[in-house]
């Protein structure tokens, strides 16, 4: 098969690939209890977050209004927080399975940092005071303690909050510590964006981060494939290298609709099957 004429992948194509892999990963997540979903579904799912982060970094760079871009992501995060809470409360699974998926919160907090890192650079260039901006960057870390404080206060008042309450809180108050994917994904987003003008350095830095996720346990097949397989994120570097610097058709709002829709459909289907 010849690759003659292949011009690489644009952002739209990268997103579509990530969406397909994401669906497979979430099928494994919601239906793994059936023991019939192959684990390679979630292996492929390791590529999803990095590809989306890569696309998000490009989108943030080219967007006409970074403020509106950030606002859309926050609205998406808050929406997911509300509906993740409501759907689980209204249609609980017998195993009390929570919906923790909220990629919008991860994107928002990443873009939040990118936005204010750029502000710091601008202020330094214009000899302006950077301390106020630095303090703003610290705010999400401070807000990360709100769930813990809520637990402490509620316990003192004799109120028992279940995990779904924290899902709701994290939707409205995304923090770098507790967003989906955790701080490592936020760091990947920042690094991918910072090195976007040098693809080789970008991919090398990304590869080093991914391989550092290997937490030990021996270099054997069992461990590498079935226990510590988060390192498989490294393979998404291939798609970064195939990026052709083009936007494609865009489908600007498709992901905002598709992402929550497929999460809730899969959750409800998994609940119905489990109840049978």
């Amino acid at each position: 098969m010849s690759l003659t004429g292949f011009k690489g992948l644009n952002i739209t194509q990268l997103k579509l690939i990530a969406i397909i892999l994401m669906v497979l990963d979430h099928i494994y997540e919601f239906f793994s209890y059936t023991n019939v979903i192959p684990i390679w579904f979630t292996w492929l799912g390791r590529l999803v977050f990095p590809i989306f982060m890569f696309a998000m970094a490009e989108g943030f760079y080219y967007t006409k209004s970074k403020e509106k871009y950030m606002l859309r992501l926050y609205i998406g995060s808050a929406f997911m927080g509300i509906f993740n809470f409501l759907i689980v409360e209204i249609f609980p699974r017998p195993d009390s399975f929570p919906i923790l998926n909220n990629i919008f919160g991860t994107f928002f907090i990443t873009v939040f940092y990118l936005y204010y890192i750029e502000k710091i650079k601008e202020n330094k260039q214009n000899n302006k005071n950077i301390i106020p901006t630095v303090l703003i960057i610290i705010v999400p870390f401070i807000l990360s303690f709100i769930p813990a404080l809520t637990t402490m206060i509620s316990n003192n008042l004799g109120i028992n909050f279940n995990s779904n309450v924290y899902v709701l809180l994290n939707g409205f108050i995304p923090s770098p510590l507790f967003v989906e994917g955790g701080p490592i994904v936020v760091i990947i987003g920042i690094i991918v964006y910072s090195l976007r003008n040098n693809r080789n350095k970008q991919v090398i830095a990304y590869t080093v981060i991914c391989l550092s996720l290997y937490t030990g346990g021996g270099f054997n097949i069992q461990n590498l494939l079935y226990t510590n397989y988060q390192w498989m994120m490294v393979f998404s570097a291939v798609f970064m290298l195939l990026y052709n610097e083009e936007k494609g058709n865009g489908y600007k709002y498709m992901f905002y609709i598709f992402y929550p829709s497929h999460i809730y459909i899969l959750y409800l289907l998994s609940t119905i099957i489990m109840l049978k």
Side-chain angles (χ1 to χ4, degrees):
M1 180 178 177
S2 175
L3 293 178
T4 303
F6 178 65
K7 298 180 180 180
L9 300 170
N10 59 45
I11 285 296
T12 300
Q13 291 167 333
L14 287 173
K15 286 181 179 179
L16 291 174
I17 290 170
I19 284 173
I20 293 170
L21 299 181
M22 176 181 67
V23 172
L24 294 177
D25 186 38
H26 289 156
I27 288 174
Y28 181 86
E29 176 185 351
F30 288 103
F31 295 93
S32 61
Y33 70 87
T34 64
N35 294 317
V36 298
I37 309 300
I39 193 171
W40 58 264
F41 273 36
T42 197
W43 291 345
L44 292 174
R46 299 313 92 202
L47 281 63
V48 175
F49 241 128
I51 294 175
F52 276 134
M53 271 296 180
F54 181 83
M56 183 275 298
E58 290 297 301
F60 179 73
Y61 180 80
Y62 287 110
T63 187
K64 295 179 181 179
S65 173
K66 290 178 168 52
E67 292 81 5
K68 289 182 179 179
Y69 190 85
M70 189 158 47
L71 178 61
R72 285 198 302 271
L73 293 173
Y74 179 77
I75 291 173
S77 177
F79 172 89
M80 290 291 290
I82 293 170
F83 280 85
N84 287 0
F85 172 79
L86 290 176
I87 289 178
V88 171
E89 288 292 315
I90 297 171
F91 305 102
R93 263 179 40 167
D95 60 353
S96 301
F97 188 89
I99 300 178
L100 302 176
N101 311 80
N102 191 344
I103 200 172
F104 295 126
T106 310
F107 287 164
F108 167 77
I109 203 67
T110 305
V111 167
F112 176 89
Y113 283 122
L114 294 179
Y115 181 82
Y116 283 103
I117 287 172
E118 287 197 348
K119 287 293 182 183
I120 289 175
K121 292 179 180 178
E122 291 175 9
N123 289 344
K124 288 181 69 175
Q125 291 176 354
N126 297 324
N127 295 318
K128 293 183 178 180
N129 188 0
I130 66 171
I131 293 178
T133 309
V134 171
L135 292 176
I136 291 174
I137 285 179
I138 297 173
V139 169
F141 284 100
I142 297 174
L143 295 179
S144 297
F145 295 99
I146 286 181
L149 290 174
T150 303
T151 302
M152 183 178 66
I153 294 172
S154 63
N155 287 340
N156 289 335
L157 295 175
I159 302 172
N160 293 320
F161 282 168
N162 60 33
S163 61
N164 292 328
V165 173
Y166 302 112
V167 170
L168 177 64
L169 286 174
N170 288 330
F172 279 91
I173 313 172
S175 78
L177 301 180
F178 302 116
V179 291
E180 184 182 3
I184 190 66
V185 177
V186 177
I187 292 171
I188 286 174
I190 294 172
I191 290 177
V192 165
Y193 179 81
S194 301
L195 297 176
R196 62 173 304 280
N197 291 323
N198 190 319
R199 189 74 66 232
N200 291 332
K201 287 184 178 179
Q202 184 186 59
V203 170
I204 290 172
Y206 172 74
T207 300
V208 170
I209 292 174
C210 290
L211 295 180
S212 71
L213 295 177
Y214 180 74
T215 57
F219 289 96
N220 56 75
I221 297 298
Q222 180 67 30
N223 190 54
L224 289 172
L225 298 184
Y226 299 99
T227 305
N228 295 317
Y229 51 78
Q230 192 62 35
W231 62 271
M232 293 182 183
M233 290 169 61
V234 70
F235 295 117
S236 57
V238 174
F239 294 97
M240 297 179 188
L241 290 171
L242 290 175
Y243 175 48
N244 60 12
E245 308 290 337
E246 296 178 4
K247 179 181 178 181
N249 293 328
Y251 306 124
K252 185 175 181 179
Y253 295 106
M254 181 188 72
F255 182 73
Y256 289 92
I257 297 171
F258 180 83
Y259 176 74
S261 298
H262 94 283
I263 290 290
Y264 301 139
I265 290 171
L266 290 176
Y267 173 81
L268 292 173
L269 284 175
S270 71
T271 302
I272 292 171
I273 292 172
M274 184 174 281
L275 288 172
K276 285 185 176 180

